[in-house]
């Protein structure tokens, strides 16, 4: 299996680049944000609880997202590999992911971290909010809260992978195709 973590603050372009990577490398997409929105859509108890936090721009508890990922890994044991998008977002999530992958005799090959500065992120998210229909993209204070959560709780996860020699920083500003090319160079060198 070839497993990668696509990392970066909200608005860094993870969704866009995930689609490109999946199309080229045939990986299975696991986005905890998408999984949580599907729970909300289905009106489950988990979805109802998560919605309150998501609407406030706060991370949902680690055990909720770890449980969702564990289920998806179990259901897709024969995948070519996974692209983790928006997960792990805390150090305990990263540790849990390593332990889960070990169960299937596999591991993370690399973390691709998209680098985009804060003002650009806020501009992109406000623009996305006009078409995405996502309530958490509609309000500038909420967007700032999500970026703050990222800086406080999620940014340290890059260091976790750096210590394992698996972190690759990619400039996330500029043409989508050029950013994808830079990602491919890293992925091709590791496959
Ligand atoms: P995203 O679609 O990745 O931007 O996620 C939207 C929201 O879902 C976040 O602001 C969090 O409230 C929640 N969320 C998604 N993934 C995670 C995660 N790995 N850990 C905790 N909360 C998450």
């Amino acid at each position: 299996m070839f497993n990668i973590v696509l990392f970066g603050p909200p608005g860094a372009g993870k969704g866009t680049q995930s689609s490109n990577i999946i199309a080229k490398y045939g990986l299975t997409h696991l986005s905890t944000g998408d999984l949580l929105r599907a729970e909300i859509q289905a009106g489950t108890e988990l979805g109802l609880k998560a919605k309150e936090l998501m609407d406030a721009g706060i991370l949902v508890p680690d055990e909720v997202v770890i449980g969702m990922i564990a289920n998806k890994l179990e259901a897709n044991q024969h995948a070519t590999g996974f692209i983790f998008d928006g997960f792990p977002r805390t150090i305990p999530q990263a540790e849990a992911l390593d332990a889960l992958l070990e169960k299937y005799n596999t591991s993370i090959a690399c973390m691709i971290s998209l680098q985009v500065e804060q003002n650009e992120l806020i501009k992109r998210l406000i623009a996305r909010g006009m078409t995405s229909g996502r309530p958490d993209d509609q309000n500038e204070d909420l967007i700032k809260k999500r970026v703050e959560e990222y800086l406080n709780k999620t940014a340290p996860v890059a260091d976790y992978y750096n210590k394992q020699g698996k972190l690759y920083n990619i400039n996330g500003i500029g043409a989508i195709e050029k950013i994808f090319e830079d990602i491919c160079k890293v992925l091709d060198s590791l496959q």
Side-chain angles (χ1 to χ4, degrees):
M1 273 192 190
F2 185 60
N3 307 306
I4 69 176
V5 174
L6 190 58
F7 191 71
K14 297 190 294 294
T16 305
Q17 294 300 341
S18 282
S19 310
N20 288 338
I21 295 167
I22 292 158
K24 179 159 178 189
Y25 297 91
L27 304 178
T28 298
H29 188 216
L30 289 184
S31 152
T32 39
D34 286 353
L35 293 172
L36 288 165
R37 281 183 289 276
E39 294 282 342
I40 293 174
Q41 200 71 34
T44 64
E45 198 181 323
L46 188 158
L48 284 177
K49 281 192 193 147
K51 185 175 177 358
E52 269 180 43
L53 296 166
M54 291 167 77
D55 285 353
I58 298 170
L59 294 187
V60 305
D62 287 337
E63 57 273 19
V64 171
V65 284
I66 292 167
M68 291 193 314
I69 291 288
N71 290 340
K72 286 287 171 188
L73 290 181
E74 181 157 22
N76 292 281
Q77 287 178 38
H78 303 294
T80 310
F82 295 96
I83 173 164
F84 296 95
D85 167 4
F87 179 90
R89 259 178 159 102
T90 64
I91 300 283
Q93 290 180 25
E95 289 168 345
L97 180 59
D98 274 351
L100 279 169
L101 290 174
E102 209 178 306
K103 246 178 58 181
Y104 299 104
N105 294 316
T106 184
S107 61
I108 293 295
C110 66
M111 166 184 267
I112 299 286
S113 173
L114 297 173
Q115 314 276 305
V116 177
E117 46 107 12
Q118 204 162 322
N119 288 342
E120 170 74 13
L121 292 175
I122 292 168
K123 237 175 43 196
R124 286 188 189 180
L125 288 167
I126 290 171
R128 185 169 88 181
M130 303 201 184
T131 54
S132 72
R134 280 179 55 165
D136 58 349
D137 283 345
Q138 312 275 336
N139 162 317
E140 192 162 339
D141 285 342
L142 194 50
I143 289 171
K144 286 188 175 146
K145 176 73 201 163
R146 284 161 63 209
V147 173
E148 190 189 308
E149 281 280 274
Y150 172 82
L151 294 173
N152 290 335
K153 297 180 184 165
T154 305
V157 176
D159 200 40
Y160 177 88
Y161 288 96
N162 195 23
K163 283 187 182 132
Q164 297 186 7
K166 294 178 176 174
L167 174 65
Y168 296 83
N169 290 318
I170 300 277
N171 176 11
I173 295 186
I176 290 171
E177 297 74 21
K178 165 75 173 74
I179 299 167
F180 182 52
E181 239 175 66
D182 292 344
I183 294 174
C184 290
K185 276 186 203 147
V186 172
L187 299 186
D188 291 344
S189 75
L190 294 172
Q191 265 200 325

